[in-house]
Amino acid sequence: MTKSKFAKLQEKLVIKQSSAWNNFNEKQRQTIFSFCEKYKEFLNEAKTEREATEVIIKTAKAKGFKELDSFENLNPGDSFFYNNKNKSVVLGIIGEEPEFNMTGSHIDSPRLDLKPRPFYEDGNLALLKTHYYGGIKKHQWFETPLAIHGIVMDKNGKKREIRVGENEDEPVFVISDLLPHIDRKSDNKTVRDAFEAENLNVIIGNIPIVKEEGLKEKIKLGILSILNEKYGITEGDFISAEIELVPATKARDVGFDRALIAAYGQDDKSCSYATLKAFLNSENKKRTRFAFFYDKEEIGSTGNTGAASQLMERVVEIVLRKRNSKKTVNEVISKSIVLSADVTSGFDPTFAGSFDARNVNKIGGGVAVEKYTGSGGKYGASDANAEYVSFITRLLNENDICWQAGEIGKVDEGGGGTIAYMIAKYGCDVIDIGPPVLGMHSPSEIISKVDIYSAFLAYKAFFNVTNNEITPG
């Protein structure tokens, strides 16, 4: 059937939004599924920023990467990693030019941290006090099986690693909720008021250590005795500890067609994994390439391992010095191009009223390109220039990569930020690009396999850019 003049006009002028799955044949879809099996393994193995750093470095070493400090001089083709306090990491491959193509993702996720003095006993139970990390809906963490991950430094300064609750033969830990039979007072409360932060107390034991009368907190003492016997630690050692409670569940396929993944930490491990695979599979002799994997994004990128630190300047300065370059750090960064590799919200038809239906990213629609994030009147956004948006979208089109554009939600419904504005302060071009997510910051976020694979293809194409001259399309 011959297309009408107006059908051809519509095809030429109007944005087409369809399922990204339609762009892949059966063989290609199997490649996507295979890619995501490895991704699920990464999610299960790297639930915390320390674990992610370890996995990324291990993967890089297997590809021949060496510590940056081990190089006396850097030459084109050299590949390195920079371990920043075991909580953030940078990968780099030296090109002929000092200017670089860089991605910045983050490897921390919302969770529960232990307070400095977490142990207490009450009601024949031993419990832990927690302080939530990042933006969570507190009610989602009640009655969720949790695992304990982290490190404790003993009295001699020796690091003791703890990871309990991930294996089937290990116990999990739970925050109890009040039974509905005697919880009528909460009927008149908002969800925020009904689930208080100080009630995020984790049950860890029930057996008294002895029957001896007059001995206080015998159940708490029993738990401390177990920890001392296994790890050689005491209650006082937890003041310096970094212990995180994360969902004990494994990454699982969702749906009869297995097209989706439900897992903890996909914000932002989806972008981190896609970046890692794209970086290691890219080829670009001309341009230097960097992949920054940051910590602390979920609490404002603060501290010495977040994007607000001077990690970028430090690494670029070291690289320029080892290349005997006379260019300044700011000169090189300002002429480089960057992707803020972070997720965004996906349209949820159950809560359609929170989205602008004409400016929304759909699950299975491909990788999402967001010119700006922030909230309200674009507060907290870097707002990429039109020239750079055109440059990136043309790159995606030229490489037949499925992509879409939208916003996180309705203008005054809230919002969210990324590290883009922290990188943009150096004068370089930067834009957010990553897969859309359902249930973001929940214990079980949902992503489409085709979207994370599209992100991988997008990051790979970006790393392979040899001409970064940004001009109007």
Side-chain angles (χ1 to χ4, degrees), residues 106-123:
H106 67 92
I107 50 178
D108 64 315
S109 298
R111 61 179 189 257
L112 303 179
D113 288 344
L114 292 191
K115 289 189 175 184
R117 297 179 60 182
F119 294 92
Y120 75 101
E121 179 180 326
D122 198 2

Side-chain angles (χ1 to χ4, degrees), residues 23-179:
N23 290 59
F24 297 94
N25 60 35
E26 186 58 35
K27 184 177 180 180
Q28 292 170 324
R29 290 182 182 183
Q30 289 306 312
T31 299
I32 294 173
F33 276 71
S34 297
F35 179 89
C36 288
E37 285 304 304
K38 293 294 184 181
Y39 168 55
K40 288 190 292 183
E41 292 177 11
F42 176 77
L43 289 172
N44 294 335
E45 190 176 358
K47 287 189 174 182
T48 72
E49 68 283 357
R50 285 183 178 270
E51 292 168 351
T53 295
E54 184 177 347
V55 171
I56 291 167
I57 290 175
K58 179 181 177 181
T59 304
K61 281 184 174 180
K63 293 288 186 177
F65 284 62
K66 299 177 181 178
E67 287 192 61
L68 179 56
D69 288 344
S70 70
F71 289 89
E72 184 175 346
N73 294 294
L74 286 169
N75 299 298
D78 288 338
S79 55
F80 69 84
F81 66 88
Y82 183 89
N83 182 355
N84 186 34
K85 303 183 183 301
N86 299 316
K87 297 171 73 175
S88 57
V89 60
V90 184
L91 301 185
I93 301 175
I94 302 302
E96 297 168 4
E97 300 175 351
E99 290 77 22
F100 52 82
N101 301 350
M102 169 192 153
T103 58
S105 59
H106 67 92
I107 50 178
D108 64 315
S109 298
R111 61 179 189 257
L112 303 179
D113 288 344
L114 292 191
K115 289 189 175 184
R117 297 179 60 182
F119 294 92
Y120 75 101
E121 179 180 326
D122 198 2
N124 282 348
L125 295 170
L127 303 100
L128 295 172
K129 297 291 295 182
T130 71
H131 191 133
Y132 67 91
Y133 172 100
I136 66 169
K137 288 185 172 181
K138 293 184 283 291
H139 70 274
Q140 295 175 336
W141 292 74
F142 286 78
E143 305 298 350
T144 296
L146 301 171
I148 290 178
H149 293 232
I151 63 166
V152 179
M153 308 299 291
D154 67 17
K155 63 181 180 180
N156 298 314
K158 185 176 181 180
K159 183 188 298 183
R160 306 288 184 171
E161 295 187 5
I162 299 178
R163 183 177 168 118
V164 182
E166 294 293 344
N167 298 325
E168 291 295 326
D169 60 346
E170 294 177 338
V172 295
F173 309 91
V174 180
I175 301 167
S176 61
D177 191 12
L178 185 62
L179 63 161

Side-chain angles (χ1 to χ4, degrees), residues 376-444:
K378 295 187 179 180
Y379 284 99
S382 69
D383 206 352
N385 298 323
E387 292 86 348
Y388 193 51
V389 179
S390 174
F391 176 82
I392 291 298
T393 55
R394 280 184 283 122
L395 174 68
L396 298 176
N397 289 334
E398 289 165 4
N399 286 275
D400 296 321
I401 297 167
C402 301
W403 65 277
Q404 53 187 320
E407 295 190 354
I408 195 169
K410 284 184 175 179
V411 175
D412 282 333
E413 288 292 318
T418 67
I419 65 171
Y421 76 96
M422 299 174 198
I423 296 173
K425 70 182 180 182
Y426 298 106
C428 54
D429 284 294
V430 57
I431 192 170
D432 287 292
I433 179 168
V437 179
L438 292 180
M440 193 187 300
H441 287 202
S442 74
S444 189

